[in-house]
Amino acid sequence: MGAVVVVGTHWGDEAKGKFVDLIGQDADVVIRYGGGPNAGHTVIVGENTYKFHLIPSGILNPKTLCIMADGMVIDPATLVKEMESLTERGISLDNLRISQNAHVILPYHAKLDKLEEIAKGGAALGTTGRGVGPCYVDKAARLGIRMGDLVNLTRLREKLKAVLPHKNALLTKIYDSEPFDQETLLAELTPLAEKLAPYVTDTQALAGEAQTSGKRILFEGAQATLLDIDGGTYPYVTSSHPISGGATIGTGIPPTAIGQVLGVVKAYTTRVGAGTFPTELLDEKGDRIRERGHEYGTTTGRPRRCGWLDTVALRYSVRVNGLTGICVGHLDVLAGFDKVQICVAYRKNGVRLTEFPAGDVSLLDGCEPEYEILPGWQDVDITNITRFEDLPVNARAYVHRVAEIAGVPAVLVSIGPRRDQTLVPPGIPAPRHLFHVASGVPVVPANVV
Ligand code: IMO
Ligand code: MG
């Protein structure tokens, strides 16, 4: 039994939540291994829409143990709100477990996130402003407060006493802003800590036990490959490791336990926040994709930047994550274009780049995309199609071409946000069987799909 990891191939918002929900229906354990409330994962089940920022999407399955692992940064207020909204809707939280080692986002982190962005002026990153970056800064600086500290009020008081003067000095002396009062903070945090305490535990031990006893483990990636702090488009990245390697950090699951790594790729590419985006469309085609794809942030409501699919980045993503298959999403959004374009290389100063310059992302600045042009498919509603074979021939050809360029099979194709708007191409096993495919090899030979 191999664990399955689901990651985003580009800059986030690939609809990972939908695929995690689908594949996770047979998972015993779903683990979120990184990031925090910067993520926005939407899952639609029947008439119900659920938006998750922190809790793994697997919570919708009453049989699945949901772990928020050490690598996450957790805003207790956001988490309690998310938990309450799930309980109000009849979703049980009995299977939720929060790592005592996950770091706590405190109000000063969110404040600093915003102040740092303002101070950067034109060089601002366009963060989600949720305090994610400053919380990871404290983690690396060994100044962090962890969930295990939060739920132990004596320890919380001691930790705050040590760190708050430092944060207040930053806020008042550098940013000319208001300091935080320790007692007020403690009063705000106490009821949240009490609500969260029953869920906080040693999740590494839990996950390790699940793995050694042969349970089906699914990792829910948040953010995406090009937002990885090392392998992404630094500095326009998040502060964690969304790539598949991140799934083994602080989760208690070793790399050798991973069987399949699936990359969720949109049929086009989007980005929120600043940073180079070679295939960005600043014309009515980009607007059309944005409107049809509802490309507005789940977390911040910001309009997303939209462009043609970048397969230079996709091939990088296949390599760095060790993808064994791709899940192609939002195929319905591209309907109605006469022609659809796939970026297969970049050109800069007369030089053709075929590999993503992850080692020096400054090379991306000023790159012109080189496109392969494919015939589009009619503006017909493909959102109710139930078999891959019934898709318009050019839509199928598009998926085949993307998989061919990626060098790994397309294992799922999404034509809308609902669970039933998902097609399994011929020759591909159903999602539930993915846990049984041999470790580290493509789901099926790449030349099949
Ligand atoms: P999901 O899980 C899209 C982006 C932000 C910004 C940069 C840094 O929904 O795919 P941060 O607040 O993390 O310090 O911001 O990273 N970003 C995301 N973009 N989807 C996400 O998550 C993102 N999480 C962070 O827009 O450019
Ligand atoms: Mg998002």
Coordinates of all heavy atoms in Angstrom, one line a residue, residues 117-170:
E117 N 4.4 44.1 3.8 CA 4.0 44.3 2.4 C 3.9 45.8 2.0 O 4.4 46.2 1.0 CB 2.6 43.7 2.2 CG 2.6 42.2 2.0 CD 3.2 41.7 0.7 OE1 2.4 41.6 -0.3 OE2 4.4 41.4 0.6
I118 N 3.4 46.6 3.0 CA 3.3 48.0 2.7 C 4.7 48.6 2.6 O 5.0 49.4 1.7 CB 2.4 48.7 3.8 CG1 1.0 48.2 3.8 CG2 2.5 50.2 3.7 CD1 0.2 48.6 5.0
A119 N 5.6 48.2 3.5 CA 6.9 48.7 3.5 C 7.7 48.4 2.2 O 8.5 49.1 1.8 CB 7.7 48.2 4.7
K120 N 7.3 47.2 1.6 CA 8.0 46.8 0.4 C 7.6 47.6 -0.8 O 8.2 47.6 -1.9 CB 7.7 45.3 0.1 CG 8.6 44.4 1.0 CD 8.4 43.0 0.6 CE 9.2 42.1 1.5 NZ 8.4 40.9 2.0
G121 N 6.5 48.3 -0.7 CA 6.0 49.2 -1.8 C 5.8 48.4 -3.1 O 5.2 47.4 -3.1
G122 N 6.5 48.9 -4.1 CA 6.4 48.3 -5.5 C 6.9 46.9 -5.5 O 6.6 46.1 -6.4
A123 N 7.7 46.5 -4.5 CA 8.3 45.1 -4.5 C 7.4 44.2 -3.6 O 7.9 43.1 -3.3 CB 9.7 45.2 -4.0
A124 N 6.2 44.6 -3.3 CA 5.4 43.7 -2.4 C 5.1 42.4 -3.2 O 5.1 42.4 -4.4 CB 4.1 44.5 -2.1
L125 N 5.0 41.4 -2.4 CA 4.8 40.0 -3.0 C 3.4 39.7 -3.3 O 3.1 38.8 -4.1 CB 5.3 39.0 -2.0 CG 6.7 39.1 -1.4 CD1 6.9 37.9 -0.4 CD2 7.7 39.0 -2.5
G126 N 2.5 40.5 -2.7 CA 1.0 40.2 -2.9 C 0.7 39.0 -2.0 O 0.0 38.0 -2.5
T127 N 1.1 38.9 -0.8 CA 0.8 37.8 0.1 C -0.7 37.8 0.4 O -1.4 38.8 0.1 CB 1.6 37.8 1.4 OG1 1.0 38.9 2.2 CG2 3.0 38.1 1.3
T128 N -1.1 36.8 1.0 CA -2.6 36.7 1.4 C -2.8 37.5 2.7 O -4.0 37.6 3.1 CB -3.0 35.2 1.6 OG1 -2.2 34.7 2.6 CG2 -2.9 34.4 0.3
G129 N -1.8 38.0 3.3 CA -1.9 38.9 4.5 C -2.4 38.1 5.7 O -2.9 38.7 6.7
R130 N -2.3 36.8 5.7 CA -2.8 36.0 6.8 C -1.7 35.7 7.9 O -2.0 35.0 8.8 CB -3.3 34.6 6.3 CG -4.4 34.7 5.3 CD -5.7 35.2 6.1 NE -6.9 35.1 5.2 CZ -7.3 36.1 4.4 NH1 -6.6 37.2 4.3 NH2 -8.4 35.9 3.7
G131 N -0.5 36.3 7.7 CA 0.5 36.1 8.7 C 1.3 34.8 8.5 O 2.1 34.4 9.4
V132 N 1.2 34.2 7.4 CA 1.8 32.9 7.1 C 3.4 33.1 7.1 O 4.1 32.4 7.8 CB 1.3 32.3 5.8 CG1 2.2 31.2 5.3 CG2 -0.1 31.9 6.0
G133 N 3.9 34.0 6.3 CA 5.3 34.3 6.2 C 5.9 34.6 7.6 O 6.9 33.9 8.0
P134 N 5.4 35.6 8.3 CA 6.0 35.9 9.6 C 5.9 34.8 10.6 O 6.8 34.7 11.5 CB 5.2 37.1 10.1 CG 4.7 37.8 8.8 CD 4.5 36.7 7.8
C135 N 5.0 33.9 10.5 CA 4.9 32.8 11.4 C 6.0 31.8 11.1 O 6.7 31.3 12.0 CB 3.5 32.1 11.3 SG 3.3 30.8 12.5
Y136 N 6.2 31.5 9.8 CA 7.4 30.6 9.5 C 8.7 31.3 9.8 O 9.7 30.6 10.1 CB 7.3 30.3 8.0 CG 6.3 29.2 7.6 CD1 5.2 29.4 6.8 CD2 6.5 27.9 8.1 CE1 4.3 28.4 6.5 CE2 5.6 26.9 7.8 CZ 4.5 27.2 7.0 OH 3.7 26.1 6.6
V137 N 8.8 32.6 9.8 CA 10.0 33.3 10.2 C 10.3 33.0 11.6 O 11.4 32.6 12.0 CB 9.9 34.9 10.0 CG1 11.0 35.6 10.7 CG2 9.9 35.2 8.5
D138 N 9.3 33.1 12.5 CA 9.5 32.8 13.9 C 9.8 31.3 14.1 O 10.6 30.9 15.0 CB 8.2 33.1 14.7 CG 8.2 34.6 15.0 OD1 9.0 35.3 14.5 OD2 7.2 35.0 15.7
K139 N 9.2 30.4 13.3 CA 9.5 29.0 13.4 C 11.1 28.8 13.1 O 11.7 28.1 13.9 CB 8.7 28.2 12.4 CG 9.1 26.7 12.3 CD 8.2 26.0 11.3 CE 8.6 24.6 11.1 NZ 7.6 23.8 10.3
A140 N 11.5 29.4 12.0 CA 13.0 29.2 11.7 C 13.9 29.9 12.7 O 15.0 29.5 13.0 CB 13.2 29.7 10.3
A141 N 13.4 31.0 13.3 CA 14.2 31.8 14.3 C 14.1 31.1 15.7 O 14.7 31.6 16.6 CB 13.7 33.2 14.3
R142 N 13.3 30.1 15.8 CA 13.1 29.4 17.1 C 12.5 30.3 18.1 O 12.7 30.2 19.3 CB 14.4 28.7 17.6 CG 14.7 27.4 16.9 CD 15.8 27.3 15.9 NE 16.6 28.4 15.6 CZ 17.9 28.3 15.5 NH1 18.5 27.1 15.8 NH2 18.7 29.3 15.1
L143 N 11.5 31.1 17.6 CA 10.8 32.0 18.4 C 9.3 31.7 18.4 O 8.5 32.4 19.0 CB 10.9 33.5 17.9 CG 12.2 34.2 18.2 CD1 12.1 35.6 17.4 CD2 12.3 34.5 19.7
G144 N 9.0 30.6 17.7 CA 7.6 30.3 17.5 C 6.8 29.7 18.7 O 7.4 29.2 19.6
I145 N 5.5 29.9 18.6 CA 4.7 29.3 19.6 C 3.9 28.1 18.9 O 3.4 28.4 17.8 CB 3.7 30.3 20.2 CG1 4.6 31.3 21.0 CG2 2.6 29.7 21.1 CD1 3.8 32.5 21.6
R146 N 3.9 26.9 19.5 CA 3.3 25.8 18.8 C 2.0 25.4 19.4 O 1.6 25.9 20.5 CB 4.3 24.6 18.8 CG 5.7 25.0 18.3 CD 6.5 23.9 17.8 NE 7.1 23.1 18.8 CZ 7.9 22.1 18.6 NH1 8.2 21.7 17.3 NH2 8.4 21.4 19.5
M147 N 1.3 24.6 18.7 CA -0.1 24.3 19.2 C 0.0 23.6 20.6 O -0.9 23.9 21.4 CB -0.8 23.3 18.2 CG -1.2 24.0 16.9 SD -2.3 25.4 17.0 CE -3.8 24.6 17.6
G148 N 1.0 22.9 20.8 CA 1.2 22.3 22.2 C 1.4 23.3 23.2 O 1.0 23.1 24.4
D149 N 2.0 24.5 22.9 CA 2.1 25.6 23.8 C 0.8 26.3 24.0 O 0.4 26.7 25.1 CB 3.1 26.6 23.3 CG 4.5 26.0 23.0 OD1 4.9 25.2 23.8 OD2 5.1 26.4 22.0
L150 N 0.1 26.5 22.9 CA -1.2 27.2 22.9 C -2.2 26.6 23.9 O -2.9 27.3 24.7 CB -1.9 27.2 21.5 CG -3.2 27.9 21.4 CD1 -3.1 29.4 21.4 CD2 -4.0 27.5 20.2
V151 N -2.2 25.2 23.9 CA -3.2 24.6 24.7 C -2.8 24.3 26.2 O -3.4 23.7 26.9 CB -3.7 23.2 24.1 CG1 -4.4 23.5 22.7 CG2 -2.6 22.2 23.9
N152 N -1.6 24.8 26.5 CA -1.1 24.7 27.9 C -0.9 26.2 28.3 O 0.1 26.8 28.0 CB 0.2 24.0 27.9 CG 0.9 23.9 29.2 OD1 0.7 24.8 30.0 ND2 1.6 22.9 29.5
L153 N -1.9 26.7 29.1 CA -1.9 28.2 29.3 C -0.7 28.7 30.1 O -0.3 29.8 29.9 CB -3.2 28.6 29.9 CG -4.4 28.4 28.9 CD1 -5.7 28.7 29.6 CD2 -4.3 29.3 27.7
T154 N -0.1 27.9 30.9 CA 1.1 28.3 31.6 C 2.2 28.5 30.6 O 2.9 29.5 30.7 CB 1.5 27.3 32.7 OG1 0.3 26.8 33.3 CG2 2.5 27.8 33.7
R155 N 2.4 27.5 29.8 CA 3.4 27.6 28.8 C 3.2 28.7 27.8 O 4.1 29.4 27.4 CB 3.5 26.3 28.0 CG 4.9 25.6 28.2 CD 4.8 24.2 27.9 NE 4.5 23.8 26.5 CZ 4.2 22.6 26.1 NH1 4.0 21.6 27.0 NH2 3.9 22.4 24.8
L156 N 2.0 28.9 27.4 CA 1.6 30.0 26.5 C 2.0 31.4 27.1 O 2.6 32.2 26.4 CB 0.1 30.0 26.2 CG -0.4 31.1 25.2 CD1 0.3 30.9 23.9 CD2 -1.9 31.1 25.1
R157 N 1.7 31.5 28.4 CA 2.0 32.8 29.0 C 3.6 33.0 29.0 O 4.0 34.1 28.6 CB 1.5 32.8 30.5 CG 1.8 34.1 31.3 CD 1.2 34.0 32.6 NE -0.3 34.1 32.6 CZ -0.9 35.2 32.6 NH1 -0.3 36.4 32.6 NH2 -2.2 35.3 32.6
E158 N 4.3 32.0 29.4 CA 5.8 32.1 29.4 C 6.3 32.4 28.0 O 7.2 33.3 27.8 CB 6.4 30.7 29.8 CG 6.5 30.5 31.3 CD 6.8 29.0 31.5 OE1 7.4 28.3 30.6 OE2 6.4 28.6 32.6
K159 N 5.8 31.7 27.0 CA 6.3 31.9 25.6 C 6.0 33.3 25.2 O 6.8 34.0 24.5 CB 5.7 30.9 24.7 CG 6.0 29.5 25.0 CD 7.1 29.0 24.1 CE 7.6 27.7 24.5 NZ 8.7 27.1 23.8
L160 N 4.8 33.8 25.4 CA 4.4 35.1 25.0 C 5.2 36.2 25.7 O 5.6 37.2 25.1 CB 2.9 35.4 25.3 CG 1.9 35.1 24.2 CD1 0.5 35.5 24.7 CD2 2.2 35.9 22.9
K161 N 5.5 35.9 26.9 CA 6.3 36.9 27.7 C 7.7 37.0 27.1 O 8.3 38.1 27.1 CB 6.4 36.3 29.2 CG 6.8 37.4 30.2 CD 6.6 36.8 31.6 CE 7.5 37.6 32.5 NZ 7.7 37.0 33.8
A162 N 8.2 35.9 26.6 CA 9.5 36.0 26.0 C 9.5 36.6 24.6 O 10.4 37.4 24.3 CB 10.1 34.6 25.9
V163 N 8.5 36.4 23.8 CA 8.5 36.8 22.4 C 7.9 38.2 22.2 O 8.3 38.9 21.3 CB 7.9 35.7 21.5 CG1 6.4 35.6 21.6 CG2 8.4 35.9 20.1
L164 N 6.9 38.5 23.0 CA 6.1 39.7 22.7 C 6.9 41.0 22.8 O 6.7 41.8 21.9 CB 4.9 39.7 23.6 CG 3.7 40.6 23.1 CD1 3.2 40.2 21.8 CD2 2.6 40.6 24.1
P165 N 7.8 41.1 23.7 CA 8.6 42.4 23.7 C 9.4 42.6 22.4 O 9.5 43.7 21.9 CB 9.6 42.2 24.9 CG 8.9 41.2 25.8 CD 8.2 40.3 24.9
H166 N 9.9 41.5 21.8 CA 10.6 41.5 20.6 C 9.6 42.0 19.4 O 10.0 42.8 18.6 CB 11.2 40.1 20.3 CG 11.8 40.0 19.0 ND1 13.0 40.5 18.7 CD2 11.4 39.3 17.9 CE1 13.3 40.2 17.4 NE2 12.3 39.5 16.9
K167 N 8.5 41.4 19.4 CA 7.5 41.7 18.4 C 7.0 43.2 18.5 O 6.9 43.9 17.5 CB 6.3 40.8 18.4 CG 6.6 39.3 18.1 CD 7.1 39.2 16.7 CE 7.9 37.9 16.5 NZ 8.6 37.8 15.3
N168 N 6.8 43.5 19.7 CA 6.3 44.9 20.0 C 7.3 45.9 19.6 O 7.0 47.0 19.1 CB 5.9 45.1 21.4 CG 4.4 44.5 21.6 OD1 3.7 44.3 20.7 ND2 4.1 44.2 22.9
A169 N 8.6 45.6 19.8 CA 9.7 46.5 19.5 C 9.7 46.7 17.9 O 9.8 47.8 17.4 CB 11.0 46.0 19.9
L170 N 9.5 45.6 17.2 CA 9.4 45.6 15.8 C 8.3 46.5 15.3 O 8.4 47.4 14.5 CB 9.2 44.2 15.2 CG 10.2 43.5 14.5 CD1 9.7 42.1 14.1 CD2 10.6 44.2 13.2

